[in-house]
């Protein structure tokens, strides 16, 4: 509804321009175009990318065979069987392996995902042999441990009751081989590394088999429930804290996003709190860009909270750790606030490759978002990032942070100054002071023209710098900003066209001068309207999310203030021009100062 009102507002502005200048514009076409823009914007905002492994490309799980679902595997006897058509083999032999639902299984009578591997029965860390497919519609080969075809997984999330594959014994096969399988019936329902049958070379007695059921190496963590809320007491003196809003107390403020940490001997105790529908999280990062970060999440799952360690390699879904590295985990749910605490050793064993040592300095990220069935989605807002790096085991500090990167703040400020201040002053100067200062000159040119040209050149310069900054920050095109960057490109193009067109303008008394006048007016008006619409969309982007709704109101007030000044100047073209201009500039500067201050504060 808000955007439809904005569309109507700008339509009315254009109608005003028609009346004032006799310039005909097809308002209906403009409204249709604007509504198309709005639909595209809403579609882009509502859409999101969820990275999962429904396509079976699960090489990341080759080692521990654990799905990256962030839940504990089921350890009770699984409702499926894995069998082979031979128990003895020679190198080069082919053995048919069948994974099927047990006839006596209760509940779901199907599975969706699976991962089958063959391993040395004497050393279950060694993958042995290769597979061939029987039905490539539902199964595919994977490359694990640099061995092509050494594992088999699903191709989609269709319901399956049976899968058959062929295992080929290698020439250097160990004396006995055991088949292992991971099976998923749903995102939260899966069995990991369930042991299957053991096959042995001819003449070799098979070793004792692991009972079928449960998981090899499955680990679980039991969390306790916090008896009371966290508090900001001791921040900066007993523990380090990062808070948003700055100085808030999670004990009294349910809107407080809170992270604290303090060293306890050879470990560090963390406390994390914040209002969220699905999860709250923080990350340790070596820079201010998401990627290659050590992440910790507290994920709400119905009426409990799961506390996870993870790693993100880029702007991707987190990969959860299969190792239990968190101690003394505890959680609390109250009034829509998720709270959790845990300890983590400062130095971890070498096998924890993606865990950072806590005796180093890092930037801290805090984020929150939605979760469905324990699966996290992209964070709702731009993460809060600490202003500077801090040593996790260092002396207590009361840290500050921002949700808006500095480059994006400059981007917003430059665009606001250009398209709500300098351009409007330049338009007023050319439209109303041209006939009133006909004989006054500066450096050989009319005063109004020099001021108009200076203001418009400043507008183009600010737009050009502001246009480049998001690309510097993102390192390329933003795929999550909706229609905003596309409109920005239109504004940049129109801003460049205007001065180029002016360079080739005909003489004032030329017979075709009126063509240039209408083209110059039309291009400038289009640039101004599209720019303001783009700013309305931009002030609530994640990278520069100004507080709503009052920031939107202030921006709307700037637009209305310009329209009112334009109408007054049109009616009173003599005598009152300097007074009206002075009043307009004071009001415009006041509104602009409020928005610039807001940008600096986010």
């Amino acid at each position: 509804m808000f955007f439809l009102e904005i569309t109507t507002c700008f339509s009315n502005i254009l109608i005003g321009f028609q009346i004032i200048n006799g310039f005909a514009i097809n308002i209906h076409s403009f409204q249709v175009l604007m509504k198309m823009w709005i639909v595209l914007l809403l579609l882009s905002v509502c859409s999101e990318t969820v990275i999962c492994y429904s396509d079976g490309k699960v090489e990341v799980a080759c080692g521990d065979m654990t799905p990256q679902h962030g839940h504990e595997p089921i350890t009770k006897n699984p409702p499926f069987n894995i069998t082979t058509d031979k128990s003895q083999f020679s190198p080069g032999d082919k053995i048919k392996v069948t994974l099927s639902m047990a006839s006596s299984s209760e509940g779901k009578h199907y599975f969706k995902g699976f991962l089958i591997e063959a391993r040395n029965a004497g050393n279950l860390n060694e993958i042995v042999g290769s597979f061939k497919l029987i039905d490539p519609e539902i199964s595919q080969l994977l490359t694990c441990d640099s061995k092509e075809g050494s594992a088999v997984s699903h191709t989609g999330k269709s319901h399956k009751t049976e899968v058959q594959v062929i295992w080929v014994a290698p020439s250097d096969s160990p004396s006995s081989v055991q088949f292992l399988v991971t099976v998923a019936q749903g995102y939260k329902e899966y069995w990991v590394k369930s042991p299957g049958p053991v096959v042995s070379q001819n003449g070799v007695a098979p070793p004792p088999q692991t009972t079928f059921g449960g998981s090899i190496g499955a680990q679980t963590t039991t969390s306790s429930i916090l008896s009371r809320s966290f508090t900001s007491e001791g921040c900066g003196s007993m523990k380090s804290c990062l808070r948003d809003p700055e100085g808030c107390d999670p004990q009294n403020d349910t809107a407080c996003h809170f992270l604290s940490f303090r060293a306890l001997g050879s470990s560090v105790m963390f406390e994390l709190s914040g209002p969220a529908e699905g999860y709250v999280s923080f990350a340790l990062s070596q820079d201010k860009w998401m990627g290659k970060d050590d992440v910790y999440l507290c994920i709400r799952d119905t009426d409990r909270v799961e506390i996870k360690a993870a790693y993100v390699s880029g702007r991707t879904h987190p990969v959860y750790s299969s190792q239990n590295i968190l101690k003394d985990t505890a959680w609390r749910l109250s009034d829509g606030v998720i709270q959790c605490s845990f300890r983590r050793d400062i130095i971890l064993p070498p096998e924890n490759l993606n865990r950072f040592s806590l005796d180093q300095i890092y930037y801290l990220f805090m984020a929150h978002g939605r979760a469905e069935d324990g699966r996290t989605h992209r964070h709702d807002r731009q993460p809060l990032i600490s202003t500077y790096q801090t040593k996790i085991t260092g002396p207590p500090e009361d840290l500050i942070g921002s949700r808006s990167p500095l480059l994006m703040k400059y981007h917003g400020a430059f665009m606001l100054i250009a398209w709500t201040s300098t351009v409007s002053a330049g338009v007023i100067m050319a439209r109303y002071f041209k006939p009133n200062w006909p004989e006054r000159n500066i450096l050989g040119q009319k005063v109004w023209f020099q001021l108009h040209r200076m203001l418009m050149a400043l507008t183009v310069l600010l737009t050009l710098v502001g246009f480049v900054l998001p690309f510097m920050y993102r390192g390329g095109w933003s795929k999550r900003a909706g229609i905003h960057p596309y409109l920005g490109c239109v504004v940049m193009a129109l801003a460049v066209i205007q001065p180029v067109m002016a360079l080739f303008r005909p003489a004032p008394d030329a017979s075709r001068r009126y063509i240039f006048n209408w083209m110059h007016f039309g291009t400038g008006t289009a640039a101004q309207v599209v720019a303001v619409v783009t700013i309305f969309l931009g002030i609530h982007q994640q990278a520069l999310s100004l507080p709503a709704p009052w920031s939107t109101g202030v921006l709307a007030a700037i637009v209305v203030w310009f329209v009112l000044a334009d109408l007054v100047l049109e009616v009173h073209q003599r005598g009152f021009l300097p007074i009206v201009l002075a009043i307009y500039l004071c009001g415009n500067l006041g509104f602009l100062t409020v928005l610039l201050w807001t940008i600096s504060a986010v």
Side-chain angles (χ1 to χ4, degrees), residues 160-409:
K160 309 167 188 67
T161 57
E162 182 179 275
V163 173
Q164 290 186 326
V165 295
I166 300 296
W167 178 72
V168 181
S171 58
D172 58 349
S173 176
S175 58
S176 296
V177 174
Q178 183 167 30
F179 293 94
L180 304 177
V181 62
T182 289
V183 174
Q185 286 188 318
Y187 193 77
K188 296 165 58 177
E189 303 167 290
Y190 55 88
W191 290 258
V192 173
K193 219 172 185 180
S194 295
V198 175
V199 293
S200 301
Q201 291 203 42
N202 292 317
V204 176
Q209 295 193 36
T210 305
T211 303
F212 187 76
S215 304
I216 296 177
Q219 301 181 23
T220 59
T221 301
T222 303
S223 299
S224 59
I225 298 178
L226 294 166
S227 59
R228 58 182 180 178
S229 176
F230 302 140
T231 176
S232 62
E233 183 178 352
C235 284
S237 58
M238 299 177 61
K239 58 187 178 183
S240 294
C241 299
L242 177 62
R243 294 176 278 178
D244 181 35
E246 187 177 341
C248 67
D249 187 347
Q251 190 172 31
N252 306 317
D253 184 1
T254 56
C256 181
H257 293 271
F258 175 84
L259 170 67
S260 75
F261 49 93
R262 66 185 188 276
L264 295 175
S266 60
S267 64
V268 174
M269 172 62 76
F270 292 93
E271 296 175 332
L272 181 62
S273 173
E277 293 183 22
Y279 71 93
V280 292
S281 65
F282 75 92
L284 309 177
S285 180
Q286 295 174 339
D287 52 37
K288 288 191 173 184
W289 185 250
M290 183 177 176
K292 299 181 179 180
D293 301 330
D294 189 0
V295 182
Y296 300 87
L297 306 97
C298 303
I299 308 169
R300 180 171 185 169
D301 186 6
T302 315
D303 58 351
R304 64 186 303 271
V305 174
E306 295 187 3
I307 305 171
K308 299 289 183 182
Y311 180 78
V312 290
S313 57
R315 300 178 67 85
T316 59
H317 197 277
V319 177
Y320 297 106
S321 172
S322 60
Q323 304 292 325
N324 286 332
I325 62 169
L326 308 182
K327 305 174 183 178
D328 298 338
T329 56
W331 57 270
R332 183 175 183 265
L333 290 173
S334 178
D335 299 324
V337 176
I338 301 174
Q339 295 189 331
C340 66
S341 65
F342 60 87
R343 281 193 309 112
R344 210 214 81 176
D345 288 342
I346 296 173
I347 306 295
L348 293 173
E351 58 264 24
N352 295 279
L353 299 178
N354 294 325
R355 302 275 76 81
F356 294 173
S357 296
L358 300 182
D359 56 355
Q360 304 297 317
I361 60 172
Y362 304 103
Y363 288 104
L364 295 169
F365 285 55
M366 285 178 64
H368 64 281
R370 297 179 299 108
E372 293 180 76
D373 296 326
R375 180 173 55 184
T376 60
H377 293 265
R378 185 173 181 261
H379 42 76
D380 292 337
R381 298 176 60 191
Q382 186 80 1
L384 179 72
I385 305 175
S386 60
T387 304
Y388 52 86
Q389 291 178 310
T390 186
K391 188 174 183 178
I392 306 302
T393 55
E397 297 180 81
D398 205 352
L399 304 167
I400 58 173
S402 172
R403 293 188 184 273
S404 180
L406 187 61
L407 288 178
M408 298 307 293
K409 289 185 177 183

Side-chain angles (χ1 to χ4, degrees), residues 14-25 431 518 521 570:
L14 284 179
I15 292 173
F17 285 147
Q18 285 187 106
I19 297 172
I20 296 169
N21 300 286
F23 181 60
I25 297 178
R431 188 174 296 168
W518 287 119
F521 170 80
E570 182 67 25

Side-chain angles (χ1 to χ4, degrees), residues 86 88-95 128-130 132 166-173 201-202:
K86 297 179 183 179
Q88 300 282 316
F89 71 91
S90 296
D93 281 357
K94 298 179 180 179
I95 297 178
V128 177
S130 61
K132 291 185 177 180
I166 300 296
W167 178 72
V168 181
S171 58
D172 58 349
S173 176
Q201 291 203 42
N202 292 317

